[in-house]
Amino acid sequence: MKIISADFIYTPEGFIANRAVAFTDTIQEVDTLEVLKSKYPDASIINTEPNSVLFPGFINTHVHLEFSANKTSLKYGSFMPWLDSVIEHREALVSACDNAVMMQECEAMMRSGITTFGAISSFGNELEVCEKTPQRVVFFNELIGSNAQYADMLYGDFMERVKASMSCEASSRITPAVAIHSPYSVHPIILQKAVNVAKEHTLPLSAHFLESQAEREWLEHGEGELKGFFKKYFSTETPVTNIQEFMYAFDTYPTHFTHCVQANQVELDYLAQKGHSVAHCPRSNRYLGCGRLAIENLKQPYSVATDGLSSNDSLSIFDELRAALMLHHQAPINALASRLLQTVTADAADILGLNCGKIEEGKASDFAIVTLNESPKRAEELALWCILQTKEVSALYIEGEQHV
Ligand code: BEZ
Ligand code: FE2
């Protein structure tokens, strides 16, 4: 048994002062240090530095580790030139992205407090790294392929990757999962088969959805910038699905929809009504010129996530939260800061179906300790100061063991 105390603990009821947590691999009890010491006299005591805040480990629900080698190869500013640059540089970027590069990024995520991440995997290349990192990983095997001619082959490859990630489940902190690339890039027949796989094995399910204006125009009218792309690479001028048909395919299974920047209120409400959640990636959306997701209008739970280094400059969750504060400049800043912390802890854990994300009895002992540089003068501003001042956490625990 270990006992950790901090000036503040972030709980589902907000920040509480002068409390401690007794834990093994799971949280046993939350109380004052004196009470816990007398209950567990043999426990080792961990005292955090003054002005520390004990958080549950942070959760980044959506990242593409396979693109971690990108620095300046991909073109930022607008979605279509970016997608063209992905096609041009994909092979070189993926081959430059070896295990060492990906492990460095897992470590960078840990230094920013991330104890769990959702890895969107196109090729399965990052499975070994995800097995090795101490972090919890929801391993989203991604299905792609709009061309009916190749659909069976691509689906077969996808199922092989699903099985490989399932076989790691017992020996690592990996949860196998399914990701659908997007409405424009997945044929509806294999889409439905993949949704059924997720449903049958109760695997987390995710899909990119309405990221760009180009995607919307293509799905609605078969026009716009994606038309030339499909003509050039796939010799086709008609989309394989439309917005409604794509959404309906997920009706019976809760899904984590990434981006949704170009979804209208009716579509967002439909997703909410069906029990789906949203992954909001503020920097990725800004860098690819996709716009601002109106988070203030969402009726469903949402997470804040970094996306990959293919559309970002770091995988730090605190960099992402600071960007969210800037992007949503109209929102009252303290209320937004509090909500953002909830999106990357309790809400993200609920979305991914994981028993972590809260400092509460019975939850996994995944902790991130944030140390402020002076005592916060007003308690109601704690969330904001934690976001603004944290470049790296001062310690990190996963399942009760220290890793930073
Ligand atoms: C497709 O199969 O339709 C596709 C693949 C990669 C990027 C975009 C579309
Ligand atoms: Fe993504």
Side-chain angles (χ1 to χ4, degrees), residues 364-381:
S365 298
D366 295 358
F367 306 127
I369 290 120
V370 160
T371 304
L372 296 172
N373 46 27
E374 67 171 33
S375 169
K377 300 290 182 288
R378 290 164 298 278
E380 65 274 19
E381 292 169 9

Side-chain angles (χ1 to χ4, degrees), residues 62-64 120 142 208 211 258-259 281 284 307-308 310-311:
H62 185 96
V63 53
H64 302 257
I120 312 296
E142 188 171 66
H208 293 113
E211 176 175 9
T258 305
H259 302 311
C281 304
S284 172
D307 215 341
S310 34
S311 56

Side-chain angles (χ1 to χ4, degrees), residues 185-233:
S185 61
V186 179
H187 195 280
I189 292 180
I190 55 172
L191 161 64
Q192 205 59 69
K193 283 172 76 170
V195 171
N196 291 342
V197 168
K199 207 172 154 179
E200 185 189 338
H201 299 277
T202 51
L203 309 179
L205 178 62
S206 176
H208 293 113
F209 184 54
L210 291 174
E211 176 175 9
S212 65
Q213 187 53 38
E215 177 178 339
R216 182 156 199 115
E217 233 181 306
W218 174 244
L219 295 173
E220 269 192 321
H221 308 295
E223 292 296 339
E225 290 178 296
L226 268 168
K227 190 173 177 144
F229 176 89
F230 276 97
K231 200 169 175 190
K232 181 173 171 192
Y233 294 109

Side-chain angles (χ1 to χ4, degrees), residues 131-367:
E131 277 184 276
K132 282 205 178 115
T133 182
Q135 288 150 307
R136 248 171 253 292
V137 181
V138 178
F139 198 86
F140 284 105
N141 298 284
E142 188 171 66
L143 177 65
I144 194 164
S146 62
N147 188 332
Q149 228 186 320
Y150 304 112
D152 284 344
M153 188 262 291
L154 291 164
Y155 183 78
D157 172 75
F158 157 79
M159 277 311 294
E160 287 305 310
R161 289 182 281 120
V162 171
K163 283 180 200 147
S165 64
M166 280 174 161
S167 70
C168 302
E169 207 177 352
S171 58
S172 67
R173 298 194 180 104
I174 287 179
T175 302
V178 170
I180 304 301
H181 180 263
S182 75
Y184 60 84
S185 61
V186 179
H187 195 280
I189 292 180
I190 55 172
L191 161 64
Q192 205 59 69
K193 283 172 76 170
V195 171
N196 291 342
V197 168
K199 207 172 154 179
E200 185 189 338
H201 299 277
T202 51
L203 309 179
L205 178 62
S206 176
H208 293 113
F209 184 54
L210 291 174
E211 176 175 9
S212 65
Q213 187 53 38
E215 177 178 339
R216 182 156 199 115
E217 233 181 306
W218 174 244
L219 295 173
E220 269 192 321
H221 308 295
E223 292 296 339
E225 290 178 296
L226 268 168
K227 190 173 177 144
F229 176 89
F230 276 97
K231 200 169 175 190
K232 181 173 171 192
Y233 294 109
F234 297 92
S235 309
T236 173
E237 287 184 68
T238 41
V240 287
T241 190
N242 59 51
I243 292 170
Q244 278 70 30
E245 183 186 45
F246 186 77
M247 286 198 301
Y248 298 162
F250 299 87
D251 273 356
T252 56
Y253 197 68
T255 303
H256 197 35
F257 284 95
T258 305
H259 302 311
C260 303
V261 179
Q262 298 299 332
N264 62 33
Q265 197 59 47
V266 173
E267 291 150 358
L268 290 171
D269 290 350
Y270 184 81
L271 297 182
Q273 186 215 324
K274 293 291 172 191
H276 302 306
S277 56
V278 169
H280 172 42
C281 304
R283 282 186 293 173
S284 172
N285 295 159
R286 173 67 182 101
Y287 295 163
L288 304 193
C290 291
R292 185 186 79 88
L293 174 69
I295 51 172
E296 63 279 12
N297 296 333
L298 293 180
K299 298 185 178 79
Q300 55 271 75
Y302 66 93
S303 66
V304 171
T306 61
D307 215 341
L309 288 171
S310 34
S311 56
N312 213 335
D313 57 282
S314 84
L315 300 183
S316 158
I317 201 71
F318 280 97
D319 285 350
E320 204 62 50
L321 297 180
R322 282 188 284 276
L325 286 176
M326 299 300 163
L327 188 64
H328 305 289
H329 57 84
Q330 80 303 337
I333 199 162
N334 284 301
L336 178 59
S338 296
R339 180 70 198 269
L340 290 174
L341 290 176
Q342 187 187 321
T343 67
V344 293
T345 53
D347 291 355
D350 284 346
I351 288 167
L352 295 178
L354 301 172
N355 186 39
C356 56
K358 282 183 192 172
I359 308 276
E360 196 178 83
E361 209 180 299
K363 296 288 174 194
S365 298
D366 295 358
F367 306 127

